[in-house]
Amino acid sequence: MEYEDDSHHTDAFTKKQKILEWKKIKLQPDNEGYGQDNLYRLSFSQSLSSGRTVGAFVLAIILAELLLFSGNVKGGISLHFLLLISIPLLLSVIRERETVYALQALMLLPLLRLVNVSMPISDASLLLFVVVYIPMLIPVYLMIRHQGLTDVQLGIVYERLVAYIPIGIVLGALLGAGEYLIIGSSYLIPGLSDPFILVFASVVFLYVGLIEEFIFRSLIQVKLEGLFGLTPGLLAASLLFGVMHSIYGEITEMAYIFVVGIVLGYLFQRTRSLPLVAVAHGVANIVLFVLLPLVML
């Protein structure tokens, strides 16, 4: 019995020692956890700095467009030019990949505006947009290659396409009709015969809408979502989409296009289907610039 009692006391003592050692370990600083915490804080600080940098350029692009809208063409174009040359210089010192990719996407907008104002054709013609987007294919293609974007990342997917096409057509018709009611329209290239009208409508549907959706949804919105989150990224991309329509000279037009950007952007968020939003955008352009002007005249 005495031997058993000694054994019992020995076991109790051992357990007590282990408990004390565990408490001592818990009171000691966790070097690994401390290092991970510092790494997290550094990463958060870098993310915050990146967000501020990209946010500043978003605001600068909006300011440049508002200057153009107010009639200060020289100021707006000068600011766009400064942005276009400053972003590549800034990219040479930035190391965060998400920031670099976001700034590269934003650089398309000053380039788009400068190409737009340099075209020697009438601003009243929708043909201007077709001509503008031809050279824009080059930087868009180079950006996709440089960033190694896949079809899935760009939203070039064909799942549920049979269901998405009718949705895109109906939504596009509604959006185009709403825009027509706000700004009105006139047949932008008068005097075309029926075959040329069909060609023109096809180009507007397949080309202008597709490239704009590539730029604003697949590239800009996705990059801003990665930095700011889904909702802030969606709103920022939609705001840029709205102000880049400042050429119409109507504040109601920019406000409406901002709402359209939210609708198309949210649809893209939910489906990640570029064909869906491109169809909606293309149909909206046809309804606005071709169908309703022909019917209403």
Side-chain angles (χ1 to χ4, degrees):
M1 293 294 297
E2 291 181 358
Y3 176 78
E4 291 178 356
D5 289 340
D6 290 342
S7 175
H8 174 74
H9 290 305
T10 300
D11 292 340
F13 178 77
T14 302
K15 290 180 180 180
K16 187 175 181 179
Q17 287 292 104
K18 289 183 178 180
I19 292 173
L20 290 175
E21 289 177 0
W22 171 248
K23 288 182 177 180
K24 185 177 179 181
I25 291 173
K26 293 296 290 181
L27 290 174
Q28 291 177 352
D30 184 355
N31 292 331
E32 183 179 357
Y34 179 76
Q36 291 177 348
D37 185 60
N38 278 349
L39 182 61
Y40 171 78
R41 290 179 182 177
L42 179 61
S43 175
F44 178 78
S45 176
Q46 290 176 344
S47 176
L48 183 62
S49 177
S50 299
R52 288 176 177 174
T53 301
V54 174
F57 276 93
V58 169
L59 293 176
I61 292 172
I62 293 173
L63 176 59
E65 286 298 308
L66 292 178
L67 288 173
L68 293 174
F69 175 78
S70 66
N72 188 350
V73 177
K74 184 177 180 180
I77 295 302
S78 298
L79 182 52
H80 272 307
F81 179 75
L82 289 176
L83 290 172
L84 187 61
I85 63 175
S86 63
I87 290 178
L89 295 175
L90 190 60
L91 293 180
S92 64
V93 297
I94 293 179
R95 294 293 177 265
E96 293 83 8
R97 179 176 298 180
E98 284 190 351
T99 307
V100 169
Y101 287 174
L103 290 176
Q104 286 178 343
L106 290 175
M107 192 168 61
L108 292 172
L109 299 185
L111 180 61
L112 175 62
R113 181 58 68 219
L114 292 175
V115 171
N116 187 310
V117 299
S118 67
M119 287 298 169
I121 59 177
S122 172
D123 290 339
S125 173
L126 189 61
L127 183 60
L128 171 66
F129 299 102
V130 180
V131 176
V132 164
Y133 286 124
I134 290 176
M136 289 302 299
L137 284 173
I138 299 174
V140 168
Y141 172 75
L142 293 176
M143 184 174 301
I144 292 172
R145 287 292 303 272
H146 173 72
Q147 297 185 7
L149 299 175
T150 64
D151 290 348
V152 174
Q153 289 172 319
L154 293 170
I156 306 175
V157 294
Y158 304 102
E159 296 178 2
R160 301 181 180 178
L161 192 59
V162 174
Y164 285 163
I165 288 179
I167 295 174
I169 292 174
V170 173
L171 178 61
L174 294 175
L175 294 176
E179 189 173 357
Y180 184 88
L181 292 175
I182 290 176
I183 67 169
S185 184
S186 60
Y187 197 52
L188 297 179
I189 305 181
L192 290 179
S193 59
D194 291 344
F196 286 100
I197 291 175
L198 294 176
V199 172
F200 176 69
S202 301
V203 170
V204 170
F205 177 79
L206 296 173
Y207 188 68
V208 178
L210 178 60
I211 298 301
E212 283 195 355
E213 290 307 307
F214 243 121
I215 293 174
F216 285 100
R217 247 59 69 181
S218 295
L219 296 176
I220 292 177
Q221 180 177 318
V222 170
K223 303 308 177 187
L224 295 182
E225 286 174 353
L227 281 175
F228 303 124
L230 291 179
T231 299
L234 169 62
L235 293 176
S238 301
L239 186 57
L240 288 170
F241 186 58
V243 298
M244 289 300 291
H245 288 74
S246 63
I247 55 174
Y248 289 101
E250 296 287 341
I251 190 67
T252 53
E253 166 70 4
M254 289 194 294
Y256 181 77
I257 296 301
F258 169 62
V259 174
V260 170
I262 292 177
V263 173
L264 294 178
Y266 180 74
L267 199 61
F268 185 72
Q269 271 188 358
R270 299 292 295 179
T271 65
R272 288 304 178 190
S273 174
L274 180 64
L276 171 58
V277 292
V279 166
H281 194 152
V283 170
N285 283 342
I286 291 177
V287 169
L288 173 64
F289 294 119
V290 180
L291 294 182
L292 287 181
L294 286 175
V295 172
M296 301 301 292
L297 289 179

